[in-house]
Amino acid sequence: MGWLWAIIVGLVLGLIAKAILPGRQVLPLWLTVLCGMGGGLLGNGVAGWLGVRDTKGIDWTRHVLQLVGAIVLVAVGDAVWAAHKANQRRRRTTTR
């Protein structure tokens, strides 16, 4: 059940990150979910490092850190994906 929640949270974090980032992202949904999951893990790690991972009530600091991690990973993932797709297009046009 833990993986199902990780996928759901990753999807939500990834979609929110894509909505916050300016412009259009070309990242596919599966990669958005992976970036969201990674952002969640990154945010949890930073929250643990800062000592705010487990607090009473809603862990707002942890959730904000997870979202920031997802935003960073979606932005980097989108740039890498766009460069990869541009390389593929360039190779196809030069080999013909």
Side-chain angles (χ1 to χ4, degrees), residues 15-96:
L15 291 176
I16 291 172
K18 281 179 87 168
I20 289 173
L21 288 170
R24 182 177 180 273
Q25 292 81 38
V26 295
L27 209 59
L29 184 61
W30 66 270
L31 199 49
T32 302
V33 171
L34 288 179
C35 288
M37 289 170 67
L41 290 172
L42 184 64
N44 281 341
V46 171
W49 180 69
L50 293 175
V52 294
R53 184 169 183 177
D54 296 316
T55 59
K56 293 182 180 183
I58 299 174
D59 295 332
W60 290 111
T61 305
R62 182 172 54 100
H63 295 314
V64 168
L65 290 170
Q66 288 174 332
L67 182 58
V68 169
I71 290 169
V72 168
L73 291 182
V74 166
V76 170
D78 185 59
V80 170
W81 185 261
H84 172 70
K85 285 299 180 183
N87 269 345
Q88 280 185 334
R89 272 187 246 114
R90 189 174 36 242
R91 275 194 226 133
R92 272 187 287 190
T93 58
T94 59
T95 59
R96 289 184 184 180

